[in-house]
Amino acid sequence: MENRAILILGLLSFVLFLSPVGWGYDDAMGEAHQAINRAAIEYFEKTFFREDGKDPYLRFASFNEERWKGIDWGPEDGTRNLFPRIEVAREKTIREWLIGGGFSADEPEGPMALLHFYDPTNSERPYLTDQQFLVRLIRFLGGTTFDNPQRDAVTWTFRTRPEDTIEFLGLFDQEYGWLQAKEYLKKAIESKDPKDLYGKAWRAVGEVMHMVADMTVPAHVRNDGHAAILGDPDPYERGTSGDHLPEALERGRPANLKYFRFDAEALMKDVASYTNANFFSQDTIPGRYTLPSLEKLEDGRDGYLYSTTTDGHRYRALAKGGFLDRWWRRRRYAIDRRVVEDQQSILLPTAVRACAGVLYAFLPRFDVKASVAPVAGKEGVFEVVGEITHHLNFQWQERFTIRNGAFVVVKRGEEQIRIPVKNFLGQDLNSFHVEVEAEEGDEIFVEYDFGGYVIRSPQEDPSGTYRGEILFTDPNLEKLGLRNYRVPFTLTLTPDGKATMTYKHEGSLEIPLGDGQSIRYRFASEAELEGTWKGSAVSMTGEERGWMEVVPPSMPPELTRELQDIAPGLGAPQRVESAGKVSIEAQVHGDTVEGKRILEGYPTPQPFTGKKEKNP
C-alpha cells in the first residue's frame, strides 16, 4: 500500500503536476497576480478611502502599516507541485497579505491547476473537463481512485469548506476561500487576542482576488486546458506578466460591469461570462462556443480580424494564420503577440477593477463616533466617549461583538499618539469612555483597527453657534470689590471657516459710605470680533468699546453749588469712555469651546467656556 501511494504521488508530479493543466497569469513570468492585487488595492484606496467617496462608511477608513501575524506561503518559500505544503508563520501588513494571496492561491500548483476554471455556459459541468486523459492515465497506472475534483472556480472560491474536501485525501484543501475569510475575520474581531486570525483573513481575501482575476483569462472560462507537457501553453496566459500591467492600465479600459456591490460571487460569474462571450482562447477558435462569432469579425486588412465587445471595445481578436499555422498546426487563425496586447488592454483593467470589487464586497462597514469634552477640575484632561456601529449588508448580516482594536488618538502636529483602550474582563469595546491627557491645539479622535483595516471617527464639524460666559477680571472693578464678573457671549463658526463673536453687557456697583450715603458705579462694554477657524482652533480680533460712570453720593444743593464754583463738575456724575484692541484664542472639543479673551494693556487673559447649540 505504501509503495502504491509513492507511485501515485510520483506519477502525479511527473505526468500532471510538473506541467500543470494551467493556472491564470503565470506567476513565474512577472508575478502578474500579485501585480493585479497591488493595483486593485491602490485603485480601491484612491476611490473609496477619501472623505468625498461614494460609500459613506468607507470615507474615514484606511489600510495602515501595522504588521499582523498569519500563515504565509510566499514567493520566497518557493513553489510545490504537490507536497509538502508550505506554512510559514509571518507578520505582514494588510496590503502585503492581500498581495501575497495572489501568489499563494496557486499553491500547490498541481491540484490548484484543476480548480481555477469556470465555464459560464455549462451549468451541468462548469468545471474543467478538457485534457482529462492525463488524470485517467494516472488512475490507470497508479491503480487509484484519484480523479478530477469536479469543482469549478466559483464553487471552490465561494462554496467550499474543509469538510467538503475530505474525500480528496489532502490533495484539495480549501483553507483560504471566501467563507474562510469571513470566519477568520469574525473570530479575529471578537477575540481578545486575535493571534494569527487577521493575517489568515486578509490572505484569504487576496486568494479570492486571484480567483476572480482568473476569470479574465479566456482559457479559464472556455474549458481550455493548456498543459505545457502537451506543447499546448495558452498564449494569453504565457504572454502576460506583471510587467504588462502598467501599459494596459494606461491605454486600456475595463469592461462595463457592475464591480462595486456586495455579491462578490455574482461579480465573479459576470466577469467570467463577459470574457467567455468576447474573447477567444487558442484552442476554442471557433471551437464549441458560439461567441465570439467568426462570421461577425471584421477584416482589418492588416493581417488581423477585429471584434467589438458587447460593451463597445474594438480590438484585434485573431491573427490570420501563416503558412506554418495552416500546414503544420492546422490552424487558420492564431493568437499572436499583438492580439494578446489588445486582449490585455481590456482584460487586465477588468481584472484590477474586479479585484477592487472583491475588497468592496468583503470589507464590513462601520461608523465610528467620538465625543470629547474637558474634565472639570483637571487641566489638560479630556473625557473621550467612543462608539462603533456595524452596518449590516448582504455579506455581513450579524453584528460583531468587538473585543480588540479600539484606540484613542491624540494628534499633535505631525505626531500621533495612539492610546489603546483596554479590554477588561473580556467585555466588548463597541462603546467605551476613557480619560486622556492632551495639550492645547491637539486633535483627539477614536479609531478601530481590525488587522490593518482602520476606521476612525470623523473630525467633528465645529460649525454652529456656541453660547457661554466670559469671566471678566477687570483690575479696576476688582479694586472696587467686584470679582468673578461674568459676561455672556455668542460665538458663530460658519462652514466656510469664518468666525464671529459678540458680547455686550451693562452693570452697576454701589459702595456704601455710611450714614445712608453711597457711591454708585455704572459700566458697560461691547465687542464684535471677526476671525477664522481651522480644525479645532479659533482665532479672532476686534475692538472693544466701553464706558464707566461714577455717581457721587447725594449732597445738599448749597454744597453742590459751592463745589461747582471750586471745581466745575465736582460732585456731579463722571463718565469715562474707552476703546481697546481685544483678541480671542479658542479650541473646540466636541460641543465645547474653551478660550481666552486678551485685552490690550491688561496682563491677565480672561477665560471663557461655552456649549454648542443643538439644531432643533
Side-chain angles (χ1 to χ4, degrees):
M1 184 68 181
E2 182 178 347
N3 291 336
R4 173 170 288 185
I6 294 173
L7 174 61
I8 293 170
L9 294 180
L11 288 168
L12 287 171
S13 296
F14 282 101
V15 178
L16 180 60
F17 297 135
L18 278 179
S19 298
V21 176
W23 50 90
Y25 296 118
D26 191 345
D27 278 311
M29 302 181 69
E31 300 176 347
H33 271 293
Q34 294 176 83
I36 290 170
N37 283 15
R38 182 181 295 107
I41 295 167
E42 292 174 357
Y43 178 85
F44 182 83
E45 290 184 281
K46 290 178 181 178
T47 303
F48 294 103
F49 288 171
R50 47 192 291 176
E51 293 190 12
D52 60 349
K54 293 182 179 180
D55 190 312
Y57 302 120
L58 294 175
R59 291 173 183 168
F60 300 98
S62 62
F63 293 153
N64 68 13
E65 295 299 320
E66 297 291 323
R67 306 187 75 80
W68 301 89
K69 296 177 181 178
I71 303 301
D72 194 25
W73 185 341
E76 64 271 35
D77 303 314
T79 63
R80 289 287 187 275
N81 293 314
L82 192 59
F83 291 118
R85 290 177 176 271
I86 296 175
E87 295 184 344
V88 181
R90 284 200 175 98
E91 293 185 6
K92 299 166 66 172
T93 68
I94 182 173
R95 294 185 187 88
E96 290 170 342
W97 282 117
L98 292 169
I99 293 168
F103 175 86
S104 57
D106 267 336
E107 298 298 333
E109 293 176 344
M112 293 304 102
L114 298 174
L115 293 165
H116 289 214
F117 291 79
Y118 169 70
D119 185 347
T121 68
N122 189 341
S123 59
E124 293 185 2
R125 296 198 300 172
Y127 49 85
L128 179 68
T129 61
D130 189 29
Q131 298 181 347
Q132 288 302 297
F133 67 88
L134 290 175
V135 177
R136 290 193 292 271
L137 177 61
I138 294 172
R139 291 177 59 191
F140 174 75
L141 295 177
T144 176
T145 58
F146 172 80
D147 203 349
N148 182 350
Q150 297 185 1
R151 286 184 184 268
D152 62 87
V154 174
T155 302
W156 176 254
T157 302
F158 288 98
R159 298 176 179 272
T160 301
R161 296 181 179 275
E163 56 266 27
D164 299 330
T165 60
I166 294 176
E167 61 184 291
F168 301 128
L169 304 177
L171 287 173
F172 306 98
D173 286 339
Q174 178 56 295
E175 297 178 282
Y176 294 100
W178 187 260
L179 297 176
Q180 290 73 34
K182 292 179 65 175
E183 290 174 1
Y184 293 146
L185 186 63
K186 179 176 173 60
K187 289 179 180 178
I189 290 175
E190 296 189 338
S191 299
K192 189 173 180 179
D193 179 8
K195 298 180 180 178
D196 61 4
L197 289 169
Y198 280 126
K200 286 183 174 180
W202 302 130
R203 171 182 168 177
V205 175
E207 294 203 9
V208 172
M209 293 165 71
H210 173 122
M211 298 297 292
V212 171
D214 267 354
M215 300 300 96
T216 65
V217 179
H220 281 255
V221 297
R222 294 172 71 87
N223 194 28
D224 183 359
H226 34 283
I229 194 173
L230 302 178
D232 186 32
D234 177 61
Y236 178 79
E237 185 175 280
R238 278 296 179 91
T240 302
S241 72
D243 296 335
H244 297 102
L245 186 59
E247 182 180 355
L249 293 177
E250 182 178 352
R251 69 183 183 90
R253 57 192 175 101
N256 184 20
L257 300 174
K258 186 178 180 181
Y259 295 101
F260 301 112
R261 47 183 158 165
F262 292 111
D263 191 344
E265 180 177 345
L267 170 62
M268 185 174 183
K269 291 179 178 179
D270 286 351
V271 173
S273 296
Y274 178 87
T275 306
N276 174 282
N278 289 289
F279 298 91
F280 294 101
S281 65
Q282 183 67 71
D283 294 338
T284 59
I285 310 171
R288 49 198 172 274
Y289 296 94
T290 58
L291 295 175
S293 171
L294 279 173
E295 289 73 20
K296 293 184 179 180
L297 298 184
E298 303 173 30
D299 190 340
R301 301 191 183 282
D302 57 355
Y304 292 92
L305 297 178
Y306 285 77
S307 178
T308 301
T309 64
T310 51
D311 56 344
H313 296 269
R314 188 173 185 271
Y315 75 101
R316 294 181 184 88
L318 295 172
K320 295 178 182 179
F323 174 77
L324 184 61
D325 288 305
R326 293 171 180 269
W327 180 74
W328 179 254
R329 298 190 179 96
R330 304 291 182 181
R331 290 173 177 167
R332 294 178 56 198
Y333 308 104
I335 295 178
D336 67 5
R337 180 68 250 168
R338 297 191 72 183
V339 171
V340 168
E341 288 175 353
D342 276 17
Q343 289 180 332
Q344 289 170 346
S345 70
I346 303 170
L347 294 174
L348 283 175
T350 299
V352 170
R353 196 68 59 88
C355 287
V358 171
L359 289 174
Y360 183 91
F362 182 81
L363 293 177
R365 301 301 199 269
F366 299 98
D367 181 23
V368 177
K369 294 182 179 179
S371 64
V372 181
V375 178
K378 295 182 179 180
E379 186 175 355
V381 178
F382 297 85
E383 182 184 49
V384 181
V385 178
E387 180 182 13
I388 186 169
T389 302
H390 180 196
H391 295 276
L392 305 183
N393 56 38
F394 175 78
Q395 288 299 336
W396 301 98
Q397 300 185 20
E398 294 182 3
R399 287 186 170 84
F400 296 127
T401 300
I402 296 166
R403 293 193 173 91
N404 68 82
F407 293 85
V408 174
V409 181
V410 179
K411 185 177 181 182
R412 186 169 300 153
E414 296 299 319
E415 179 188 9
Q416 289 195 4
I417 304 169
R418 213 167 182 232
I419 305 168
V421 179
K422 301 295 184 181
N423 179 344
F424 295 104
L425 303 177
Q427 81 271 28
D428 70 73
L429 295 174
N430 293 62
S431 63
F432 65 86
H433 63 89
V434 295
E435 292 184 359
V436 299
E437 295 182 354
E439 299 177 0
E440 184 175 334
D442 289 348
E443 179 186 350
I444 303 173
F445 57 91
V446 169
E447 68 180 26
Y448 284 78
D449 186 348
F450 300 132
Y453 172 41
V454 180
I455 309 93
R456 67 175 174 85
S457 60
Q459 183 177 344
E460 289 283 342
D461 179 7
S463 61
T465 300
Y466 299 76
R467 299 187 189 277
E469 293 180 331
I470 303 173
L471 179 61
F472 269 45
T473 54
D474 190 310
N476 293 324
L477 296 178
E478 287 186 355
K479 290 178 182 178
L480 300 175
L482 185 62
R483 294 179 174 84
N484 297 327
Y485 183 68
R486 299 179 183 275
V487 176
F489 72 85
T490 300
L491 169 65
T492 302
L493 306 180
T494 59
D496 59 357
K498 295 180 180 179
T500 59
M501 185 177 191
T502 60
Y503 56 85
K504 182 177 182 179
H505 72 99
E506 185 172 336
S508 63
L509 176 66
E510 186 170 351
I511 300 176
L513 299 176
D515 297 328
Q517 298 292 314
S518 64
I519 297 178
R520 288 192 304 123
Y521 295 87
R522 296 176 57 227
F523 48 86
S525 67
E526 62 179 321
E528 294 183 3
L529 313 177
E530 294 182 348
T532 60
W533 66 269
K534 184 176 182 181
S536 61
V538 184
S539 178
M540 293 171 290
T541 59
E543 184 180 62
E544 180 176 301
R545 299 171 301 279
W547 55 264
M548 178 179 287
E549 186 177 77
V550 182
V551 181
S554 59
M555 293 179 290
E558 298 81 6
L559 180 58
T560 300
R561 283 194 295 271
E562 290 180 11
L563 291 174
Q564 290 290 333
D565 292 338
I566 297 172
L570 189 62
Q574 303 293 314
R575 181 184 177 105
V576 178
E577 295 186 356
S578 63
K581 292 182 179 180
V582 64
S583 62
I584 294 289
E585 299 294 335
Q587 291 285 327
V588 178
H589 296 287
D591 62 353
T592 302
V593 62
E594 287 187 321
K596 296 177 181 179
R597 165 185 174 268
I598 304 169
L599 185 61
E600 186 178 50
Y602 285 82
T604 306
Q606 295 156 354
F608 65 86
T609 183
K611 287 287 186 180
K612 188 176 184 179
E613 287 188 339
K614 295 183 178 180
N615 294 325

